[in-house]
Amino acid sequence: MYKSVGCSKVAAVCLLLLILCSILLIAIVASFARPRCIPTDDETSDTQTPSQKGPIMGDDGRPFGWQEIRLPNDIKPLNYTLFLHPNLTTNQVLGSVEIVMNATKSTNFIVFHAASMNITKPSKIDLQGSDSKINIVKMQRTKKNEQVYLKLASKIQQGRKYVLNLDFDYTLADGLNGFYRSTYKVGEEERVLATTQFEPTDARKAFPCFDEPNLKATFKLTLIREKRHITLSNMPLLGASTPYTGSKSTAGLVQDEYTESVIMSTYLVAFVVCDFKNISDRTESAIPAQQQHGHEFVKVAVFASEDKLSQTQLALDVLKYTIPEYERFFGVKYPLPKQDMIAIPDFAAGAMENWGLITYRQASILHKENVTSDASKQWIVQTITHELAHQWFGNIVTMEWWTDLWLNEGFASYVMYVGTDMWQARDNLGWRMMDQFVVSTMQSAMNTDSLSDSHPILVEVRSPGEINEIFDSISYSKGASIIWMLNNYVTEDVFQKGLTSYLKMYQYSNAKTADLWNAIANARKDNGKHTDTNEISDMMDTWTRQMGYPVVTMARSGGTITATQKQFLIYSNGKPSDDFASKYNYKWTIPLTVVTSSDPKPDTQRISESQKTLFTKDQDSATLTINPNVQWYKANYKQNGFYRVNYLRPELAAIKEPT
């Protein structure tokens, strides 16, 4: 245990200096390990990334057969049939996987992901074509890139299907990713469960797979368990559980087989073995089945340990209410027949949006009436609505590569406020979620983004380490803020039409940032008022492809306001990091809004087109015309834009103290 000890002043000073030096050293190291900016407007990235410095070595000490972090684009997985037998007593996992795949190019090798597991020897790996078996000449592995390279005796042919069968085994992880072991207590009794956390790159620790978000497939899962346990996964059980007879020691073992999943990315696969209980209900779909293919209702359930089951009612209520509300908001049906949520005792993140089986940290889902604070209650609702937003934005449509992570997280971070506002309005709780959005999310992002060592929303990432770095406030909070700004600029109706079009166009597939801008631009064009479909991407690129944001200085002369812009940095003598060169010279295309003392009460006013102007990155200044007799004016109405405003002293005084 920790004990407090006394020290002299000299020793204390020395200790303080040592701590400061350590912090400085960490900052220097971190500055060289930051993600890279995407250099061009072309958001189409090759499936292969530039080679790393020096050859990637295999675990056998020889150069690895594939020298890229990204997998080759020769193979497209179609279906995984996955068998897993986790033993919660010995912590050992036995598994096998059958991968049906299509050869998109002819090739004499296959590369896939696997980490922290033993894989069958090459002589026992089975690769079948439509008419013959293909022998494996060599298997090579690399821990560095967590890849397996199979050299084939003959080429597989473009356009044909092949089936790869592998056996593997490993130990349940002690950490909080992959397929890992978790313990908890009910009374004095310690119990064990096994659960998963795969985002971003840890599905490969649970089964061999093509572990990249654009390599989507369907999944058929079989789990073996003891009778005292249950299993959960993305989809419902195919039928009743059956006794397992596949090994010598089968007494008391049960086999659970799950229905085949929809097409999805590997990081969304999830499964749990536990002894939890649940409460359940069902929710009626907001979109009739004759309008869109799908289910008439969705079964919803919340799972927790038996001693905490009484704390799950709020979560079930939010879950049941939000799914049909989101169906209306997105204009797209929820596609699965069920949605489960589960409270995990040991969980690193707040929650994870696994399709059909959302996993939560206990504090992010459990609510004890008359004990949990109102702030914690609101946080629980926000976390649930965030994860449910992902079921559409992230699961139905997934980013092409982790570079566009913000499409998932920024959007969900915005929509969770919309969803929470819908839920609280039902009970008239007065949470004023969009006012909170400005304070909690937008201002937080502005604080981070005003530092000279910030980074753009869109950054080039390749390795798992780089990918994990961008799960930060820039992707989440700044991403949410520019979505909010765009929504207000194009109007809510146009924005939602664009979202619906985007989701329908790319459903069960992948998309890039430019695809979202194009969908919203086309919705705006269809509205009949705007014909320039490049306007949205031209504007939004200035917010996603360079770090920071502007401060707009306003100067009034009678009925004319002149606006100028420059990058806002919290330290006035600072300069942007050299890590990210800006092709826009740190100029932004800003949707400026202005209200005046002669306008209707702002709280009840919708901004008209006459009160908006687009201050483009190519202008030195922008000019707005107002009634010369108005007492005051205010820019950035309701803080809808991701920029600060600077007024001259007399104009600021007029806002503060109107006569």
Side-chain angles (χ1 to χ4, degrees):
M1 60 181 171
Y2 176 80
K3 288 186 177 181
S4 177
V5 294
C7 65
S8 68
K9 287 186 178 179
V10 173
V13 170
C14 291
L15 180 61
L16 178 60
L17 288 174
L18 180 62
I19 292 171
L20 291 174
C21 289
S22 300
I23 292 171
L24 178 60
L25 179 61
I26 291 169
I28 292 170
V29 172
S31 69
F32 286 99
R34 300 171 65 230
R36 294 169 294 281
C37 181
I38 296 178
T40 68
D41 278 337
D42 182 8
E43 294 192 54
T44 304
S45 60
D46 294 331
T47 57
Q48 299 181 19
T49 55
S51 297
Q52 304 168 92
K53 293 180 181 179
I56 300 168
M57 303 304 291
D59 297 346
D60 57 3
R62 299 178 180 181
F64 190 62
W66 178 250
Q67 288 291 307
E68 309 293 341
I69 295 176
R70 296 288 301 274
L71 296 178
N73 57 7
D74 304 334
I75 299 294
K76 173 71 171 69
L78 302 174
N79 173 261
Y80 294 80
T81 299
L82 179 61
F83 170 92
L84 289 171
H85 179 185
N87 187 318
L88 270 56
T89 302
T90 65
N91 298 325
Q92 295 302 301
V93 180
L94 299 177
S96 65
V97 63
E98 177 188 273
I99 308 174
V100 179
M101 52 198 184
N102 182 53
T104 56
K105 295 180 181 178
S106 296
T107 180
N108 63 353
F109 66 91
I110 297 172
V111 184
F112 56 88
H113 291 109
S116 306
M117 66 177 65
N118 302 310
I119 295 181
T120 310
K121 293 180 180 179
S123 60
K124 294 187 177 180
I125 295 175
D126 185 55
L127 178 60
Q128 293 284 345
S130 58
D131 51 8
S132 63
K133 178 178 178 178
I134 299 173
N135 292 326
I136 309 298
V137 176
K138 180 178 80 169
M139 180 175 78
Q140 191 182 23
R141 300 186 65 173
T142 173
K143 289 181 181 178
K144 180 177 177 61
N145 285 351
E146 300 175 333
Q147 292 174 351
V148 179
Y149 174 89
L150 300 180
K151 179 72 173 179
L152 310 181
S154 59
K155 279 191 172 184
I156 58 176
Q157 300 301 313
Q158 180 179 1
R160 294 187 180 180
K161 289 183 181 179
Y162 296 86
V163 181
L164 176 66
N165 283 279
L166 297 162
D167 292 330
F168 55 93
D169 65 85
Y170 55 90
T171 302
L172 284 171
D174 289 326
L176 299 177
N177 53 24
F179 191 19
Y180 69 91
R181 179 179 184 271
S182 174
T183 61
Y184 65 100
K185 284 189 174 182
V186 176
E188 295 300 315
E189 180 188 1
E190 183 174 85
R191 300 185 184 181
V192 179
L193 64 85
T195 186
T196 58
Q197 170 58 37
F198 291 161
E199 189 182 31
T201 59
D202 290 319
R204 64 193 69 174
K205 294 180 180 178
F207 59 98
C209 58
F210 297 83
D211 197 13
E212 295 184 357
N214 62 322
L215 296 176
K216 291 188 170 186
T218 59
F219 297 82
K220 293 174 68 176
L221 174 65
T222 298
L223 287 168
I224 307 303
R225 62 174 172 86
E226 297 179 52
K227 288 182 179 178
R228 62 194 176 100
H229 291 139
I230 64 168
T231 65
L232 299 168
S233 190
N234 306 84
M235 301 298 290
L237 285 167
L238 184 59
S241 301
T242 57
Y244 176 58
T245 58
S247 66
K248 294 179 181 178
S249 302
T250 59
L253 295 183
V254 175
Q255 176 173 298
D256 289 338
E257 187 175 352
Y258 286 86
T259 57
E260 186 171 355
S261 75
V262 294
I263 298 170
M264 62 183 185
S265 302
T266 48
Y267 79 89
L268 294 171
V269 175
F271 34 87
V272 179
V273 182
C274 64
D275 64 353
F276 284 6
K277 309 299 181 184
N278 76 89
I279 60 172
S280 64
D281 204 334
R282 72 180 208 174
T283 182
E284 301 291 334
S285 175
I287 299 175
Q290 59 267 28
Q291 292 184 17
Q292 289 184 26
H293 177 73
H295 304 275
E296 290 291 347
F297 65 89
V298 177
K299 182 179 179 181
V300 292
V302 183
F303 290 78
S305 58
E306 59 187 83
D307 60 325
K308 293 182 171 59
L309 192 63
S310 62
Q311 301 175 40
T312 58
Q313 187 58 52
L314 172 66
L316 184 66
D317 184 38
V318 177
L319 172 59
K320 179 183 177 181
Y321 179 82
T322 303
I323 287 178
E325 289 298 320
Y326 276 176
E327 286 185 327
R328 281 184 277 267
F329 180 82
F330 291 116
V332 175
K333 283 177 73 72
Y334 177 79
L336 304 189
K338 65 100 173 174
Q339 177 64 68
D340 294 333
M341 306 198 302
I342 184 169
I344 303 295
D346 300 312
F347 199 73
M352 174 62 207
E353 65 267 19
N354 315 300
W355 216 349
L357 177 58
I358 303 173
T359 45
Y360 291 84
R361 183 187 296 181
Q362 288 183 337
S364 299
I365 190 173
L366 299 179
H367 171 266
K368 189 178 288 188
E369 196 67 39
N370 299 321
V371 175
T372 303
S373 69
D374 286 346
S376 294
K377 179 179 180 179
Q378 180 184 302
W379 171 249
I380 289 167
V381 178
Q382 285 183 254
T383 304
I384 294 170
T385 55
H386 179 108
E387 301 309 321
L388 289 175
H390 276 309
Q391 306 303 299
W392 283 263
F393 228 90
N395 297 8
I396 290 179
V397 180
T398 310
M399 72 263 151
E400 181 74 22
W401 177 243
W402 298 104
T403 291
D404 289 297
L405 170 70
W406 86 277
L407 275 179
N408 283 16
E409 298 302 345
F411 193 87
S413 296
Y414 164 66
V415 174
M416 76 178 185
Y417 280 88
V418 176
T420 302
D421 199 50
M422 291 173 179
W423 185 84
Q424 68 85 31
R426 181 193 64 175
D427 297 329
N428 197 27
L429 298 178
W431 285 354
R432 298 177 63 179
M433 292 308 302
M434 299 321 296
D435 289 347
Q436 289 193 49
F437 175 85
V438 171
V439 175
S440 299
T441 294
M442 182 177 282
Q443 291 299 323
S444 172
M446 283 184 156
N447 290 340
T448 301
D449 211 26
S450 64
L451 301 174
S452 58
D453 64 348
S454 182
H455 66 82
I457 286 176
L458 284 171
V459 288
E460 180 186 357
V461 290
R462 294 180 294 175
S463 70
E466 290 177 345
I467 293 166
N468 279 302
E469 284 179 9
I470 61 171
F471 282 80
D472 63 6
S473 64
I474 298 300
S475 293
Y476 283 71
S477 297
K478 183 179 180 180
S481 298
I482 67 168
I483 288 289
W484 164 245
M485 177 173 68
L486 179 61
N487 180 4
N488 284 283
Y489 177 64
V490 301
T491 73
E492 181 81 22
D493 290 344
V494 170
F495 183 73
Q496 287 190 244
K497 287 177 183 176
L499 293 185
T500 301
S501 173
Y502 170 83
L503 289 169
K504 289 181 177 179
M505 185 176 297
Y506 298 102
Q507 62 184 333
Y508 305 113
S509 185
N510 301 80
K512 306 181 184 74
T513 295
D515 298 322
L516 177 60
W517 301 154
N518 290 338
I520 293 174
N522 287 329
R524 200 162 180 243
K525 182 179 178 181
D526 292 343
N527 216 34
K529 295 182 179 179
H530 301 271
T531 58
D532 183 2
T533 54
N534 294 322
E535 180 186 282
I536 299 300
S537 61
D538 288 347
M539 176 177 78
M540 298 307 293
D541 280 353
T542 67
W543 298 94
T544 59
R545 293 183 174 276
Q546 62 183 347
M547 58 176 277
Y549 60 91
V551 55
V552 178
T553 298
M554 314 288 282
R556 177 185 178 184
S557 177
T560 301
I561 301 172
T562 302
T564 56
Q565 65 163 298
K566 69 174 183 178
Q567 184 183 12
F568 179 83
L569 291 170
I570 194 68
Y571 302 109
S572 57
N573 294 327
K575 65 175 185 177
S577 168
D578 293 334
D579 290 348
F580 306 110
S582 169
K583 65 173 292 182
Y584 305 113
N585 254 345
Y586 293 102
K587 298 289 185 181
W588 288 262
T589 295
I590 307 167
L592 279 177
T593 56
V594 173
V595 293
T596 72
S597 56
S598 65
D599 293 322
K601 185 179 179 182
D603 285 345
T604 61
Q605 180 188 8
R606 286 181 64 90
I607 285 288
S608 66
E609 291 296 318
S610 65
Q611 295 167 297
K612 300 177 184 177
T613 190
L614 208 57
F615 184 179
T616 73
K617 64 183 185 300
D618 302 317
Q619 294 175 280
D620 293 328
S621 62
T623 301
L624 300 91
T625 302
I626 60 173
N627 185 330
N629 298 317
V630 299
Q631 181 186 357
W632 54 262
Y633 70 93
K634 185 182 183 303
N636 201 5
Y637 175 68
K638 287 191 174 181
Q639 191 67 47
N640 289 340
F642 195 72
Y643 58 93
R644 298 190 186 277
V645 180
N646 183 39
Y647 300 93
L648 300 181
R649 286 185 180 276
E651 296 162 29
L652 184 60
I655 298 173
K656 286 182 177 180
E657 300 175 4
T659 57

